[in-house]
Amino acid sequence: MYRYDEFDQTLVDERVAQFRDQTQRFLAGQLDEEEFKTLRLRNGLYLQRFAPMLRVSIPYGLLASRQLRMLAHIARRYDKGYGHFTTRQNIQYNWPKLEEVPDILADLASVEMHAIQTSGNCIRNITSDHLAGVARDELVDPRPYCELTRQWATFHPEFNWLPRKFKIAFSSSTRDRAATQVHDIGVHIVRNDAGELGYSIYVGGGLGRMPMIGHKIREFLPELDLISYLEAVLRIYNRLGRRDNIHRARVKVLVKATGPEQFARMVEAEWNALKDSNLRLQPQDIEDIKSRFELPQYDEAAAGEPGYAKQLAVDSRFASWARRNLAPHRVSGYSIVFVSLKANGIAPGDITAEQMDAVADLADRYSAGEIRATHDQNLVLADVADRDVYAVWQRLSELGLATPNIGLLTDLICCPGLDFCSLANASSISVAQEIFDRFDDLDYQHDIGEIKMKMSGCMNGCGHHTVGHIGILGVDKKGEEWYQITLGGSAEDDASLGDRTGPSVSRADIAGAVQKIVEVYLEQRSDAEESFLATYRRVGMPPFKARLYDSAETPAEALA
Ligand code: HEM
Ligand code: SF4
């Protein structure tokens, strides 16, 4: 866990005082809506359908137990008793009172947290692999590099008024778990042929109404050049990105207009002028940041101790959970535990204050006092000794946080849709609920295997629908809720945008449509090992389309 130094703390405390003053002036009528808007958007505060919405930053998804307890306190004291984890490893509160937001920010600051740069046209929260530091397929721990980038990006005087928001994600593993190729910049930590550490840089990915996969603009950037190179990319974007049209303002549109090769050349020219400046990192800078991370102390004896194998044989519920919700840890004798926030009847990503407190207790007792937020809207206890896994499962089960569905159909990503969001065309949470009900049989889900379903209530794409194996997008047709389906998207190394199946499907038919898609997959897969995505890529759209739009099964008026 990174610990603030005096400078970090002063920065955050001063910001709270500023925002308190700004809010008081707004409430006293000394600032109008427009003037206040630019100020609140610097602090993660949106005005939404029913109430303000506050987005709190969780840098690269890492939380200490005391921070999670504070998030629980905020949910209880200032909201309706729960919070909502997002796809960018942040948490949102949907019901704070405007006049209490400065108090919330002060509470956050007391545990080294804030809501700075979680909205507005600036560099947003830096995200990363939720298995950073513990994954077996990891090259090096990406978090010190994320932290360096966070410090560079925080209140950067030149990049606080970009043409549009800017998102950066890091991955250092063989498997990309951070959706880096759908970020404005994706950084892959790699080694070159000479064994030196550095980065491959992707630019111009993004979701929203113009979804695009990022382009690799540099194969290898040496380790010490990270910040100077990011600065060069941001300078080009800040200078040339469009400001005349909000829908054409993201860097992906600029990269598309120039072409990735030309964009890369412009960055290279800019970087040549910068790379020997004081933006070049010194080895000591990286060591200093690393030294501010408190890392878990592993118990070497844990490897030799009996794990949970015995319980697997005698407790089938535990075995089914272990199969889906555990991942191997790089240290033998330890496991990574996924805490599922996808229980039937609960909006995906929602968690109550009591659950947060209890997970914080579990982290203290069994997992080095730390919790991670994943971009799939779940939590992770990353450092659980095998001997403790059964006890952790028992407690998670009591808490309703042990649905054994990680990576399965009901582990779906879903945005707030019509329930909270003023931009929504259609509900997403209630559709997620119907899908839950329809696929409630976990054996059936296990048989279907890994499937990433992602759902958004409008084309802004907060629910990542375009990169879902099955994507669902809410659209408005003459005041009615309809849903467009896409198949074959992916946000991992083989990133791709999904293909539209055809005309949209009505609210009444959407859950049935998902069922048909799953049935076609089960019929078409070569064997139980062939995943949904692999099957789709092999057989293509025709069999799915035929079943979905089979007029014998689907009333004609449902298609439009
Ligand atoms: C309810 C309040 C919300 C509002 C008003 C809102 C608004 C927006 C807008 C306008 C965009 C499109 C930006 C663009 O393409 O330039 C967007 C994208 C996005 N939002 Fe939200 N959003 C909200 C909640 C959420 C939530 C709850 C999540 C996570 C579950 C989320 C995650 C994202 C992501 C991942 C993207 C697309 C990624 C990209 O930047 O390309 N948002 N949001
Ligand atoms: S996708 Fe649309 S409906 Fe869903 S949260 Fe984003 S802006 Fe709102």
Side-chain angles (χ1 to χ4, degrees), residues 66-265:
R66 70 203 160 88
Q67 294 176 320
L68 187 56
R69 280 196 195 93
M70 180 54 80
L71 296 178
H73 163 75
I74 290 169
R76 202 177 283 119
R77 163 83 179 75
Y78 304 102
D79 206 283
K80 293 191 176 181
Y82 67 94
H84 178 76
F85 280 98
T86 79
T87 47
R88 296 206 74 258
Q89 301 181 298
N90 291 324
I91 189 168
Q92 293 185 179
Y93 293 102
N94 285 313
W95 305 99
K97 292 189 189 65
L98 177 57
E99 56 277 21
E100 292 185 339
V101 172
D103 294 336
I104 301 178
L105 297 183
D107 283 352
L108 288 172
S110 73
V111 292
E112 304 179 2
M113 293 186 83
H114 60 76
I116 296 163
Q117 292 182 207
T118 58
S119 52
N121 295 336
C122 51
I123 302 173
R124 302 286 188 88
N125 187 31
I126 311 295
T127 56
S128 189
D129 186 350
H130 47 262
L131 303 187
V134 296
R136 284 196 178 167
D137 64 344
E138 180 174 279
L139 183 62
V140 294
D141 188 341
R143 292 170 298 180
Y145 301 92
C146 296
E147 180 56 31
L148 274 166
T149 308
R150 184 187 80 81
Q151 297 194 4
W152 159 77
T154 303
F155 297 139
H156 192 302
E158 234 178 285
F159 306 141
N160 244 317
W161 304 97
L162 293 167
R164 197 75 178 92
K165 59 184 170 180
F166 203 92
K167 302 178 178 177
I168 305 177
F170 279 73
S171 168
S172 179
S173 297
T174 316
R175 186 170 176 181
D176 180 359
R177 286 173 287 263
T180 55
Q181 291 185 60
V182 288
H183 278 74
D184 297 285
I185 294 182
V187 181
H188 287 197
I189 304 180
V190 293
R191 277 194 201 282
N192 63 8
D193 292 341
E196 295 156 340
L197 201 67
Y199 322 88
S200 288
I201 305 287
Y202 292 75
V203 172
L207 301 170
R209 62 183 69 216
M210 287 175 73
M212 290 183 207
I213 302 298
H215 301 271
K216 195 192 275 187
I217 60 162
R218 202 166 216 280
E219 188 68 39
F220 185 77
L221 178 74
E223 183 185 13
L224 301 179
D225 294 320
L226 176 67
I227 300 300
S228 57
Y229 193 84
L230 294 179
E231 175 102 4
V233 175
L234 265 294
R235 281 193 185 184
I236 297 293
Y237 171 52
N238 203 21
R239 200 180 304 146
L240 301 180
R242 286 180 62 173
R243 293 175 191 267
D244 59 323
N245 180 342
I246 189 175
H247 302 308
R248 299 276 182 275
R250 298 287 294 269
V251 72
K252 61 190 171 187
V253 179
L254 177 61
V255 174
K256 183 161 188 258
T258 61
E261 296 78 18
Q262 171 60 8
F263 187 83
R265 278 193 290 275

Side-chain angles (χ1 to χ4, degrees), residues 491-555:
E492 296 195 9
D493 309 87
D494 55 354
S496 61
L497 303 176
D499 309 312
R500 274 178 64 176
T501 54
S504 50
V505 171
S506 75
R507 176 74 183 77
D509 289 332
I510 183 66
V514 172
Q515 175 136 22
K516 286 181 190 174
I517 291 165
V518 168
E519 283 165 7
V520 173
Y521 157 61
L522 292 175
E523 290 159 20
Q524 295 282 339
R525 68 181 176 185
S526 53
D527 56 43
E529 298 305 308
E530 192 181 42
S531 68
F532 176 86
L533 190 59
T535 304
Y536 175 76
R537 286 181 175 167
R538 182 173 53 80
V539 304
M541 183 64 84
F544 294 95
K545 198 173 180 120
R547 184 73 54 88
L548 268 179
Y549 302 108
D550 177 350
S551 55
E553 291 182 38
T554 313

Side-chain angles (χ1 to χ4, degrees), residues 61-63 68 89 129-132 134 325 327 329 335-341 359 363 367 369-375 377-384 396 406:
L62 192 60
L63 278 169
L68 187 56
Q89 301 181 298
D129 186 350
H130 47 262
L131 303 187
V134 296
N325 294 26
H329 197 288
S335 287
I336 300 166
V337 172
F338 282 85
V339 178
S340 171
L341 301 186
V359 172
S367 192
E370 282 180 13
I371 305 96
R372 288 109 183 275
T374 80
H375 104 269
Q377 301 180 283
N378 291 308
L379 297 179
V380 165
L381 294 169
D383 295 295
V384 180
L396 289 174
I406 298 299

Side-chain angles (χ1 to χ4, degrees), residues 415-417 421 423-424 456-458 460-462:
C415 81
C421 178
L423 303 177
S456 307
C458 80
N460 286 319
C462 302

